[in-house]
Structures are given as C-alpha cells and as structure tokens.
Amino acid sequence: MKVCMMTNTYLPHVGGVARSVSTFAHEFVRLGHEVLVVAPNFDGKPLPPEREAIVERVPSLQNFNGSDFSVRLPFAAALSERIDAFQADIIHAHHPFLLGDTALRVALNKNVPIVFTHHTRYEDYTHYVPFSETLREVAIELPTHFANLCDGVIAPSESIARLIRKRGVTAPMTVVPTGIDVAAFAQANRARGRTRHGISADAFVVGHVGRLAPEKNLPFLGEAVALFLREHPHARFLVIGDGPGRAELEAQFTAHGVREQLILAGKRTGAALREAYRAMDLFAFASRSETQGMVVAEAMAAHLPVVALNASGVREVVDAGNGELLPATATSADFAAALQALADDPGRRGALATGAATAAHAFSRERSAARVLAFYEEIRRATRARRLLHDLHPWAALLQRVGLEWDILSARTQTLAAAVFSDKESTDNKPAEPTAAAGR
C-alpha cells in the first residue's frame, strides 16, 4: 500500500504528534509499504538520509506564537509533483488545519480516501493565540467538522473516541494508540542514564517526560513533587522536556528549597530518552489534556510504576496493577502522599513495575501499525464504489470539488461566527458592574 501522511509537526521537532507519525511511518516501511510524509521544515539535527528520504518538506513559519505548530507557506510546485509521482492509495491527515486542508484537497483531486487522526484536544492550546476564549469554541468545532469531511477517523484512546462522538463526529471510527518500541525501552541502560544526568546509583528518582507548558498541569505536578522532595533530601526529580514553563518550574522548586534536587535535562530522543526513563524509579504525570498517555506507556515499557491523575488518555493505561490512578479532584498533597507510599514500599513498587512491563505490550508499535493498516483497508473497501463513480463522471468530480471547498469554507465560517456571537451574547448578558454612584 502507498500511504501519504500529512502533518504540521514532524522530526526533528520533538513532540507527541511528530513521534506518532514517525513511529507509524517507519513501521509501515518495515512491513513493506511505501510511505510519503509531507511536513514543514524544522530546525534541529537533520534526520539520517534514509529517514529523510520519505519526507517532502514544505516551507513554514515555525513554532507559531510559542506553540508546537508550524504555519505552512503557499503550496510548492515540487510538492504537487512528488504527490503526483507517488500515487497514494490513501491520504492520512494528522491535523484539521494547514496541511490538513491540503490533505482534503489532495485526496479529492487524486480520488483516494482520507483518514484523520484526532491527536489533540485543541481547545487546551488556545492560550497560544489572541482571543483565546472566543477561539476555544472554534478549537472544538473545527476538528469535528474536519473529521466529518474525512472517510475515516482514528482516535488514540477510548476517552477521545467518546468525546468526539459526543461532539458530533459521525465518520467511521477506530481506536488505535500510537505504538512504542517496547523492547527498546525495556532494554535501555539504566546505569548510563544515571551517569549522563549526574545521579548516584542509590538515589530515588521520580521522573517526568513532556513539554513544559501550561496544558501539562505543571504547577500541580511541581507542587506535589517538591513536597515529596522536602521529605527526601537524597531523592531527585528528573524532568525530560522543555518549554515556556521551565522558569516557573525552577522558581517553584527554589521556593520550596529543593532546587538542587531538580534536574531539568531538556529534550531527549532515541537512546538518550529511553535511558532517561530507565534512570527513574517512579513516573509522575498530572496532565489533564492528553488524548493518549503515550509517555505513560513508554514509562511502563521501561518498567516504571506510574502515579497519575484520572484523565482522558491516561485512564486507559494506568490501573491498580501498574500504578496509582488518583481521582481528578486529588490535591498536590494527595499526589505527594502517593509518591511517598510507593517510595516507602519497594515490594509493591516492584510488583507494579512487573505489571507495567506486562501492560506495555498492548501498546507495541507492531500491534498498533497492524490495526491502522487494517482500518486503511476497511476505508478503501467502503469508498471504492464512490471513487469509481468519481472517475467515470468528470461532472460529478467537479461538483465534489466545489462541494468540498464550500464545506471547508462554511465549516470555518459557521464555527467562527458561532464562537464570536456566543461570546458576545455571554458578555452582553453579564450583570452590569456597579457604578460608583450605586456603591454609595
């Protein structure tokens, strides 16, 4: 099968979507399929030539307004030529805008089915743009409209599948988490990971991996771990990742007097990332905005018990057999107490580590790739008759193209109008602020 994947983020950018696309792309290639990844340019260490060979880069404005997204510049002729030559059997969009819109148009022009993965709860990222309250509604409705323009939708967790069905997605859907290389995480070198980060062999290490940003609930997590470290002067908190929340996290640990126990290691990929996981004794995760617990699954593959909040994408991974899933209403003190309980009980910690290693196999990249490929085939079979009609009737093809452009435009217009006017209405209906005269 020939698969064309279109994404606004890709390696060497470090992020969940980039890693997901890369994992699937290279597993498909390993299985003998042909893959073309269309993605923006990103700064960073270049990919090995054999990995870059499957990528067509488009010019872009990177890290738009401090976010993980890159805004693509006008469609390049070279991209059209490569897509023409590739002759994809299926188009896979990984975002509902920018290259997502391009994916819709390419799929219709080439008369091939399109699948969309709903990777992100976009409403949790509206703080990166002006008028964030107005755009929150847009961020909910836009991917819903986009999903219904596609032939099939992949949700990375049951939580997200339920959520987007409730929001009105009616396209055929399947649930497939991003796969991970379970064996590579299990076999990573723990001693080397500790040496790289200056951690002694006998130190107890709480770890975290993720972007240091507001949507990851870092103030909550930082408070919990700082409270734990105050009671354990020889323990360490190893944080892998970077972002706008780094300075605030440092300040928080400084205020608690435990800054020297905080290790901010920055972004890591490949073997360095896997060794960092293995350097940990316990994985702490407090995000409430995940579509899937990818880093949680990676931690479990590295034989780590997990302490996390009960939230979307995480509750499908963590249970009583591999960690502590705390209520969504838990406080930082509750979270610190859960860390304390596991630190004090090596026997239970060992049992949970065994459970974590077993559970991680459900998220293997081989299993996930096979499920996505099966869904591709299902969607191709379901759309074959319509595609044949399109090929035979140029007038029908023209009408479909006009209809698609109208659907894209009207969906964007209706969503924005609803957000603007509902926001205005809620503002207009607010009680008037008391005047100075009224106060007297």
Side-chain angles (χ1 to χ4, degrees):
M1 193 186 310
K2 293 184 175 183
V3 182
C4 178
M5 308 178 93
M6 295 195 173
T7 174
N8 296 333
T9 62
Y10 193 66
L11 306 179
H13 170 81
V14 177
V17 177
R19 287 162 63 193
S20 175
V21 178
S22 175
T23 297
F24 281 115
H26 292 289
E27 188 62 20
F28 294 161
V29 169
R30 190 186 68 81
L31 292 170
H33 301 279
E34 294 183 53
V35 177
L36 172 63
V37 177
V38 179
N41 287 307
F42 282 98
D43 294 332
K45 183 180 178 181
L47 299 183
E50 68 276 10
R51 294 215 161 195
E52 188 65 27
I54 69 168
V55 186
E56 180 66 29
R57 299 287 182 177
V58 297
S60 65
L61 301 176
Q62 298 181 31
N63 300 115
F64 173 71
N65 224 32
S67 74
D68 280 349
F69 299 115
S70 289
V71 179
R72 69 168 174 83
L73 298 176
F75 201 68
L79 175 56
S80 295
E81 292 172 4
R82 187 160 183 188
I83 289 177
D84 285 343
F86 185 69
Q87 296 185 329
D89 295 308
I90 196 157
I91 304 294
H92 190 158
H94 290 272
H95 295 92
F97 46 81
L98 304 176
L99 281 170
D101 287 353
T102 301
L104 278 174
R105 294 183 175 99
V106 169
L108 183 58
N109 287 340
K110 304 301 178 188
N111 199 18
V112 296
I114 179 170
V115 167
F116 166 53
T117 295
H118 198 299
H119 286 284
T120 306
R121 286 174 37 160
Y122 295 97
E123 66 272 21
D124 293 322
Y125 290 77
T126 54
H127 51 268
Y128 288 111
V129 294
F131 314 111
S132 59
E133 287 304 312
T134 297
L135 289 180
R136 181 176 173 81
E137 186 66 26
V138 175
I140 291 172
E141 293 296 330
L142 187 150
T144 300
H145 287 302
F146 183 90
N148 285 330
L149 291 174
C150 295
D151 297 296
V153 175
I154 297 173
S157 68
E158 288 289 351
S159 293
I160 294 305
R162 287 192 297 270
L163 177 67
I164 63 179
R165 284 193 184 105
K166 184 177 179 181
R167 289 177 175 178
V169 173
T170 57
M173 189 184 307
T174 190
V175 176
V176 185
T178 295
I180 58 176
D181 189 340
V182 175
F185 281 93
Q187 296 165 8
N189 191 310
R190 174 179 170 89
R192 192 155 55 211
R194 290 204 164 205
T195 299
R196 176 181 286 114
H197 299 294
I199 301 170
S200 65
D202 60 347
F204 186 84
V205 180
V206 177
H208 175 77
V209 176
R211 178 167 163 77
L212 306 185
E215 62 271 12
K216 299 300 183 181
N217 199 22
L218 281 180
F220 176 99
L221 180 65
E223 180 71 14
V225 178
L227 289 174
F228 169 78
L229 293 182
R230 282 168 53 177
E231 303 301 318
H232 294 268
H234 299 295
R236 296 292 182 267
F237 185 35
L238 175 58
V239 178
I240 307 299
D242 210 343
R246 181 186 178 103
E248 183 180 352
L249 190 65
E250 275 193 283
Q252 191 174 29
F253 277 69
T254 299
H256 278 282
V258 291
R259 174 61 186 87
E260 71 282 0
Q261 294 170 257
L262 171 66
I263 302 170
L264 294 170
K267 297 177 181 179
R268 291 289 185 273
T269 58
L273 174 63
R274 295 190 292 268
E275 289 167 1
Y277 274 111
R278 290 289 288 147
M280 303 169 187
D281 294 295
L282 193 61
F283 192 77
F285 196 70
S287 174
R288 295 186 174 98
S289 65
E290 303 305 297
T291 53
Q292 71 167 102
M294 185 174 176
V295 296
V296 174
E298 290 176 344
M300 290 166 61
H303 297 195
L304 296 177
V306 176
V307 177
L309 294 180
N310 188 338
S312 67
V314 178
R315 64 177 64 98
E316 285 88 356
V317 187
V318 182
D319 58 35
N322 54 47
E324 290 284 352
L325 189 65
L326 302 180
T329 55
T331 65
S332 292
D334 296 331
F335 202 102
L339 297 176
Q340 178 74 60
L342 285 178
D344 289 344
D345 191 344
R348 181 158 181 266
R349 207 166 62 244
L352 293 178
T354 300
T358 301
H361 286 282
F363 301 91
S364 73
R365 63 183 184 181
E366 295 86 357
R367 178 173 177 172
S368 292
R371 290 166 66 185
V372 170
L373 290 168
F375 188 61
Y376 287 166
E377 288 291 0
E378 177 185 330
I379 295 302
R380 290 178 70 200
R381 287 195 300 270
T383 59
R384 191 163 289 140
R386 176 171 56 77
R387 290 166 59 207
L388 180 62
L389 180 67
H390 183 159
D391 272 341
L392 292 176
H393 296 281
W395 177 245
L398 176 61
L399 290 178
Q400 281 198 0
R401 178 58 192 263
V402 172
L404 174 64
E405 295 298 339
W406 174 253
D407 285 342
I408 293 174
L409 177 61
S410 62
R412 302 292 193 269
T413 303
Q414 290 173 25
T415 299
L416 185 58
V420 169
F421 288 113
S422 65
D423 184 66
K424 182 179 185 300
E425 182 180 338
S426 65
T427 302
D428 291 345
N429 289 337
K430 286 181 181 177
E433 291 291 332
T435 64
R440 290 195 296 268

